[in-house]
Amino acid sequence: MLPREAFHAKPLNFHEIMDATGINLQAVKRRIANAAAQCGRNQENIGLIAVSKSFGTDAVTSAYAQGQRAFGESYVQEAIDKVSVLAHLGLIWHYMGPIQSNKTRAIAAHFAWVHSVDRLRIAERLSSARSASLPPLQICLQVNIGNEITKSGVAPGDALALARAILTLPKLNLRGLMAIPPATQDKARQRHYFAQLRTLKEQLTASGITLDTLSMGMSDDFEAAIMEGATLVRVGSAIFGPRPTSVGIRSKI
Ligand SMILES: *Cc1c(COP(=O)(O)O)cnc(C)c1O
């Protein structure tokens, strides 16, 4: 009788298994590299956040196996379950969904970054809820770039005042601006919106507010965002596939 081992091929190392998520992730990274090359930017200055909302921990661990460390979530309850189960992996979690006052404590406890701050009351609550033993929360102001009535985000004209107020909060570190512009397939229009966010960041910088982050670009438009200076792109469906529950997060134009 053959020894038992003879029936088994050499077991695959976890990191050698590339499933659909891994393949998609590599493809997205190539697209980021190509877009960076096209506009003469260093790829190292463009961070990729894998937006895992509505996908389970197995999807996250698949991306983790391919080296991904930054993940994005938009629904608090779903997120804190995932963050807790995967705590041993040392991932960097970014919150980018709507923020209700009664969820600020949970967000401050489970995330490293919050991209969707658009009013002072929420910023104050996040700062006071952030534990003294944790580093400050990294904050982006969400800006309503298309001035859409249905969209959250501070109006561009109110961003400077909000930024100044946030700078006084001890447990927040204001890093930059985030936007979800109106969805459009027109590349020129995509760039037009992202350019508005870049210009707003330049205006704030000119007013003495140092920001190093432009969080912009999703599956359908991250190349245009990179052309306009994105430093963080937030990519979900291009990595994990279509979301099982299609919760519309932006209007169609
Ligand atoms: C869901 C979501 C994303 C990712 O969207 P995709 O189109 O799937 O890439 C990015 N940013 C925010 C704020 C989101 O809610």
Side-chain angles (χ1 to χ4, degrees):
M1 211 171 99
L2 281 167
R4 187 173 167 72
E5 297 84 290
F7 292 100
H8 296 278
K10 177 177 171 288
L12 276 173
N13 178 306
F14 180 56
H15 295 271
E16 292 167 347
I17 304 170
M18 253 242 243
D19 55 13
T21 297
I23 291 166
N24 290 343
L25 179 63
Q26 298 306 336
V28 166
K29 285 191 196 164
R30 270 195 304 278
R31 285 171 58 189
I32 291 173
N34 288 340
Q38 223 181 305
C39 60
R41 294 188 58 199
N42 184 345
Q43 192 193 339
E44 312 255 294
N45 298 330
I46 303 157
L48 170 62
I49 303 171
V51 182
S52 48
K53 64 162 182 251
S54 85
F55 290 94
T57 52
D58 48 344
V60 175
T61 47
S62 293
Y64 174 83
Q66 299 305 318
Q68 183 64 30
R69 295 296 179 266
F71 291 87
E73 292 286 334
S74 299
Y75 310 112
V76 180
Q77 193 52 51
E78 178 202 328
I80 61 180
D81 293 345
K82 252 180 264 184
V83 172
S84 307
V85 171
L86 298 173
H88 59 288
L89 296 182
L91 305 175
I92 300 154
W93 290 97
H94 296 248
Y95 187 75
M96 49 190 62
I99 309 178
Q100 292 159 323
S101 308
N102 62 353
K103 295 285 164 56
T104 47
R105 187 155 296 279
I107 293 169
H110 291 88
F111 288 86
W113 283 70
V114 182
H115 294 237
S116 44
V117 172
D118 63 0
R119 53 198 197 278
L120 185 56
R121 180 93 193 95
I122 291 296
E124 288 168 343
R125 290 182 67 100
L126 287 171
S127 182
S128 53
R130 184 70 165 178
S131 157
S133 63
L134 291 173
L137 266 176
Q138 310 302 307
I139 299 294
C140 290
L141 297 188
Q142 182 172 352
V143 183
N144 188 352
I145 264 317
N147 271 318
E148 299 168 276
I149 344 163
T150 55
K151 195 75 68 64
S152 40
V154 62
D158 297 334
L160 178 59
L162 180 58
R164 286 207 167 114
I166 286 178
L167 285 179
T168 67
L169 300 173
K171 290 301 284 180
L172 303 187
N173 184 11
L174 182 63
R175 296 293 299 273
L177 305 178
M178 180 275 238
I180 309 172
T184 169
Q185 294 303 317
D186 180 340
K187 302 284 172 210
R189 259 186 99 76
Q190 291 176 354
R191 286 190 63 162
H192 167 78
Y193 290 124
F194 293 133
Q196 287 184 1
L197 196 69
R198 174 173 47 73
T199 303
L200 182 61
K201 173 174 169 281
E202 287 161 3
Q203 287 166 354
L204 296 190
T205 303
S207 306
I209 293 175
T210 318
L211 303 173
D212 64 8
T213 301
L214 272 177
S215 166
M216 57 189 198
M218 308 176 22
S219 292
D220 288 338
D221 55 16
F222 68 82
E223 278 120 333
I226 289 169
M227 304 288 167
E228 295 299 339
T231 64
L232 287 176
V233 294
R234 312 177 310 268
V235 180
S237 46
I239 296 172
F240 297 110
R243 278 180 288 279
T245 48
S246 64
V247 184
I249 61 155
R250 57 186 187 180
S251 55
K252 302 279 174 204
I253 54 167

